[in-house]
Amino acid sequence: MSDIVTAGILVIGDEILSGRTKDKNIGFIAEYLTNIGIDLKEVRVVPDEEVEIIAALDALRHRYTYVFTTGGIGPTHDDITADSIAKAFGVGIDHHPEVVARFKERFQNPGELNEARLRMARIPDGAELIQSATILAPGFKIGNVIVMAGVPSIMQAMMDIVTPKLKSGVRMLSESVRANAREGDIGGPLRAIANAHPDTIIGSYPFQDEDKKPNTNLVVRSRDPEKLNAAMAAVKEMLAGLNLVR
Amino acid sequence: MSDIVTAGILVIGDEILSGRTKDKNIGFIAEYLTNIGIDLKEVRVVPDEEVEIIAALDALRHRYTYVFTTGGIGPTHDDITADSIAKAFGVGIDHHPEVVARFKERFQNPGELNEARLRMARIPDGAELIQSATILAPGFKIGNVIVMAGVPSIMQAMMDIVTPKLKSGVRMLSESVRANAREGDIGGPLRAIANAHPDTIIGSYPFQDEDKKPNTNLVVRSRDPEKLNAAMAAVKEMLAGLNLVR
């Protein structure tokens, strides 16, 4: 198990950029990766254009341990993810015999196993399939890139299938506390705590509480439980001091 | 009015990448920009790290007409957007007198106008404020970059304030039709229509309908209403032919 495993997400689809479809995959994958000890470092959303897909994929795959893509693996002309990824890796792409065999069983009416459907069986050479009995168009893993569907329920099933094949790192631990204070009142002492606890990441997130008053959630993250506890203790001490003053 | 106006979005925040906070801003801004005739071409999400913010900002601002950023303009140590943007533009950053004056009126209790709150008044030199009576920490526009809050309600108010200052292009028109067909059954004829109508963008989006059957929405987009109508007529004719066959 290596210490730190990183990832990028590449969301592919005009419909996300036009606002017609609201992405639900980024948040799901982000939380999923945090839970299995993989650090999500960057997300990009690009249109259904080969040159854009390849440029973003290359930027991400050379930088992070894994890249997860969503979208563009269906049967229509705008589904160009598999071809773009084959091109990025410089490998061929062809109908995968295992997928074609499954399609032949499933689509037995005349004309059903048409060119469009067969397009979903096009898999870059050397890729491993990500599939199950309930998934029609398979995803695949090639190198460090995991290619998944854009439909959230299918993407989620694919995450479950591919996860056992991934290496995971030391999990980032996280603890949060409700400050019962305005963010601007604690910014100074919080900065001092952050400086004194360099192996932790301290985040401050304002929200409006049930009394409609400005409130703040403080989150301390670290891979080291002792360091996390020490920083969180300092945060709680700081907050207790504030409340005494009130 | 120039023909095509483009944009990128830069979402800044560890909390999005950890999955703790689910982004709601990308979808909102995407739809908003489509409605005012600005084409969103790319989105990136980066952590609260100066070098990452600057690299992504520079990539986007040199490529698109506008860049919209969200997040990182609050009072705490992890709010480093304004400083990062000043650095990217190579300009100074200081407390903006107009914002400081407003804060002085608003925070009159002893200790309230502390260093953390004054941090929210730090604005890069030459930037225009994006503010209103209900917005505490202002956003700003510098060059072609629009810097906004991460809290959705505040970001949305800022979009309304900044929009009149933006140039907009010829709006991308869009029409959609429910195919009442499986995506795999229409992929072939749809590709032929897409090829025959090059000045349109035709998208195909599968969904499960109310009878739990696989169904498809087809979307035709174009800046030219006549070309859009011609492509949509071809799509509808294709779908009518399919239904006759059934």
Side-chain angles (χ1 to χ4, degrees):
Chain A
M1 189 194 280
S2 63
D3 266 359
I4 294 181
V5 180
T6 59
I9 295 176
L10 178 59
V11 174
I12 298 161
D14 289 352
E15 71 281 17
I16 306 294
L17 293 171
S18 74
R20 186 183 180 278
T21 300
K22 304 294 182 285
D23 171 81
K24 288 173 189 156
N25 293 334
I26 297 170
F28 179 90
I29 300 172
E31 198 172 346
Y32 200 111
L33 293 178
T34 296
N35 286 335
I36 60 173
I38 295 178
D39 278 15
L40 177 61
K41 303 297 279 182
E42 184 175 350
V43 179
R44 298 195 190 187
V45 186
V46 298
D48 298 319
E49 293 170 23
E50 187 182 89
V51 60
E52 299 299 329
I53 296 170
I54 292 175
L57 184 80
D58 282 345
L60 296 172
R61 76 189 175 95
H62 292 307
R63 189 159 184 208
Y64 305 114
T65 317
Y66 296 112
V67 179
F68 296 83
T69 81
T70 65
I73 61 167
T76 54
H77 63 281
D78 55 341
D79 291 305
I80 60 169
T81 297
D83 284 85
S84 303
I85 283 173
K87 209 163 184 175
F89 276 89
V91 301
I93 180 167
D94 208 345
H95 295 112
H96 192 291
E98 195 179 327
V99 185
V100 173
R102 205 151 52 82
F103 280 14
K104 277 187 178 154
E105 256 177 50
R106 172 145 180 180
F107 298 108
Q108 299 195 343
N109 295 332
E112 255 192 336
L113 192 52
N114 55 25
E115 202 183 315
R117 286 212 168 83
L118 278 170
R119 197 171 159 69
M120 295 189 286
R122 283 168 65 78
I123 304 289
D125 293 350
E128 271 179 88
L129 298 176
I130 303 174
Q131 60 178 347
S132 76
T134 58
I135 293 172
L136 177 61
F140 56 88
K141 177 174 181 301
I142 179 167
N144 63 337
V145 178
I146 293 103
V147 176
M148 304 188 291
V151 176
S153 59
I154 303 172
M155 182 281 293
Q156 291 170 18
M158 288 177 172
M159 280 299 290
D160 286 337
I161 295 167
V162 82
T163 294
K165 300 176 193 212
L166 306 178
K167 60 180 172 181
S168 56
V170 179
R171 207 184 137 185
M172 180 70 83
L173 305 169
S174 172
E175 217 180 300
S176 68
V177 61
R178 176 174 159 146
N180 289 326
R182 295 176 298 181
E183 205 182 16
D185 287 330
I186 53 179
L190 198 67
R191 172 187 294 271
I193 294 170
N195 288 339
H197 296 266
D199 289 333
T200 64
I201 302 164
I202 302 183
S204 168
Y205 306 108
F207 69 101
Q208 206 179 50
D209 67 21
E210 53 286 353
D211 300 325
K212 298 272 177 198
K213 285 169 63 178
N215 204 325
T216 312
N217 281 316
L218 298 177
V219 178
V220 180
R221 295 188 302 144
S222 178
R223 288 197 163 74
D224 180 328
E226 286 186 19
K227 287 177 177 166
L228 188 151
N229 289 342
M232 186 45 104
V235 167
K236 286 182 175 165
E237 197 182 342
M238 179 270 287
L239 294 175
L242 274 186
N243 291 328
L244 280 178
V245 171
R246 274 189 167 178
Chain B
M1 189 195 283
S2 63
D3 265 358
I4 295 181
V5 180
T6 59
I9 294 176
L10 178 59
V11 174
I12 298 161
D14 288 353
E15 72 279 18
I16 306 295
L17 293 171
S18 75
R20 188 184 178 276
T21 300
K22 304 292 182 285
D23 171 82
K24 289 173 188 155
N25 293 333
I26 296 170
F28 179 90
I29 300 171
E31 198 171 344
Y32 200 112
L33 293 178
T34 296
N35 286 336
I36 61 173
I38 294 178
D39 278 14
L40 177 61
K41 302 297 279 183
E42 185 175 349
V43 179
R44 297 196 191 185
V45 186
V46 299
D48 299 318
E49 293 170 23
E50 186 181 270
V51 61
E52 299 299 328
I53 296 170
I54 292 175
L57 184 80
D58 282 344
L60 297 172
R61 75 189 176 96
H62 293 308
R63 188 159 186 208
Y64 305 114
T65 317
Y66 296 112
V67 180
F68 296 83
T69 81
T70 66
I73 61 166
T76 54
H77 63 282
D78 56 340
D79 291 305
I80 59 169
T81 297
D83 284 87
S84 303
I85 284 173
K87 209 162 185 176
F89 276 90
V91 301
I93 179 167
D94 208 344
H95 296 113
H96 192 292
E98 194 179 327
V99 185
V100 173
R102 205 151 53 81
F103 280 14
K104 277 188 178 155
E105 256 177 51
R106 174 145 179 180
F107 299 108
Q108 299 194 344
N109 294 332
E112 256 192 338
L113 192 52
N114 55 25
E115 203 184 314
R117 287 214 166 82
L118 279 170
R119 201 171 155 70
M120 296 190 286
R122 283 168 64 78
I123 304 288
D125 294 349
E128 271 179 89
L129 298 177
I130 303 174
Q131 60 178 346
S132 76
T134 57
I135 293 172
L136 178 60
F140 56 87
K141 177 174 180 301
I142 178 166
N144 63 338
V145 178
I146 293 103
V147 176
M148 304 188 291
V151 176
S153 59
I154 303 172
M155 181 280 294
Q156 292 170 18
M158 289 178 171
M159 280 298 291
D160 286 338
I161 294 166
V162 80
T163 294
K165 300 177 193 212
L166 306 177
K167 61 180 173 180
S168 56
V170 179
R171 207 184 136 183
M172 179 70 84
L173 305 169
S174 172
E175 216 179 301
S176 68
V177 61
R178 177 174 157 145
N180 289 326
R182 294 176 299 180
E183 203 182 17
D185 287 329
I186 54 180
L190 198 66
R191 173 187 293 272
I193 294 171
N195 288 340
H197 297 265
D199 289 331
T200 64
I201 302 164
I202 303 183
S204 168
Y205 306 108
F207 69 101
Q208 205 177 51
D209 67 21
E210 53 286 353
D211 300 327
K212 298 272 177 197
K213 285 168 65 176
N215 204 326
T216 312
N217 281 315
L218 298 177
V219 177
V220 180
R221 295 189 301 144
S222 178
R223 290 198 162 72
D224 180 328
E226 287 187 17
K227 287 177 177 167
L228 187 151
N229 288 343
M232 186 44 104
V235 167
K236 286 181 174 166
E237 196 182 343
M238 179 269 286
L239 293 175
L242 274 186
N243 290 328
L244 280 178
V245 171
R246 273 187 170 182

